Amino acid sequence: RRATAPKHRSSRGFSLVEALVVVAVLAVLAGLVIPRMGGVRRREEGAVVDRVADLMTMFAFRSSAGIQPVGILHDAASRSLELVILDIDPTQDGDPLVWQPDRLSMPVLLPEGMDLAEATEDSSLLPEGDWMVTSKPGGDRPRVEIRLVGRALEASVSLEPHALHPRRSDRQVADAREPRDLDEEGMDRERW
């Protein structure tokens, strides 16, 4: 009987060309996906600013057409803005008035990465933590301005005392890029 050599499994790795093709495909996909992610973030932050504007519209409507005092409440712990109404608490005897969430509007929760930079009432800066802006029906409503800063968008929403709709102004947050001295890098004669 003749002895045969044992069969070896061939273990083949990736060739350099195959690895380069995979890297090129991943680079193309990253080039398509990464810019879109910035647009998604900008749209999400824009939607939050829209909800704050809607909340301020409800504040204006309730203070001009309602019969109860109304307020915008900022809760720093929950990172939320909420419309509240001074109403009778049915759980208490003697009908005491308490601030309760408005049943017709949802609170606005600020997403991670978006902060309430500052808020003013009649040009007076409100504290950084919890605060509330109130208005009585038929009375003078204060001028309210809320400035929000996110990763992709900075926006200001302001409600004038006589207006029923707030005014919104946006500014895109620019990418932080480091300045380069092309002369120092020897690129002063590079062709553009």
Side-chain angles (χ1 to χ4, degrees):
R1 204 168 149 188
R2 197 167 83 171
T4 60
K7 292 185 181 179
H8 293 285
R9 288 187 178 160
S10 93
S11 60
R12 183 178 175 272
F14 292 108
S15 71
L16 181 59
V17 172
E18 291 170 330
L20 288 174
V21 168
V22 169
V23 169
V25 168
L26 289 176
V28 168
L29 289 175
L32 294 173
V33 170
I34 290 174
R36 294 199 184 270
M37 290 176 65
V40 168
R41 179 174 290 136
R42 191 174 306 111
R43 283 191 300 274
E44 287 174 349
E45 291 176 356
V48 170
V49 175
D50 285 342
R51 289 196 297 271
V52 170
D54 290 345
L55 183 85
M56 291 174 80
T57 300
M58 283 297 290
F59 174 72
F61 175 74
R62 292 268 191 208
S63 66
S64 65
I67 58 171
Q68 300 161 303
V70 64
I72 298 175
L73 174 68
H74 174 250
D75 184 1
S78 66
R79 298 175 43 82
S80 67
L81 289 164
E82 183 174 19
L83 191 66
V84 291
I85 293 179
L86 190 61
D87 201 0
I88 296 172
D89 187 358
T91 63
Q92 300 290 327
D93 291 333
D95 297 332
L97 297 175
V98 294
W99 289 102
Q100 297 182 15
D102 180 41
R103 293 173 288 199
L104 299 178
S105 65
M106 297 293 295
V108 178
L109 301 175
L110 299 179
E112 202 61 40
M114 187 169 214
D115 295 313
L116 194 148
E118 70 179 24
T120 60
E121 177 182 7
D122 287 333
S123 302
S124 297
L125 194 62
L126 294 169
E128 287 187 23
D130 297 342
W131 51 261
M132 185 164 58
V133 174
T134 62
S135 178
K136 293 180 181 174
D140 291 335
R141 188 178 70 225
R143 180 185 188 279
V144 181
E145 184 170 359
I146 297 174
R147 190 167 64 88
L148 301 163
V149 176
R151 293 180 183 145
L153 182 69
E154 181 177 326
S156 178
V157 183
S158 58
L159 180 65
E160 298 297 327
H162 54 79
L164 286 178
H165 300 286
R167 184 175 40 94
R168 173 182 169 170
S169 62
D170 293 1
R171 187 174 72 83
Q172 286 186 353
V173 177
D175 293 334
R177 295 184 183 175
E178 294 294 320
R180 293 174 46 192
D181 186 353
L182 298 179
D183 293 334
E184 188 177 292
E185 293 179 17
M187 299 177 70
D188 57 333
R189 291 193 168 79
E190 285 289 319
R191 196 165 177 180
W192 295 88

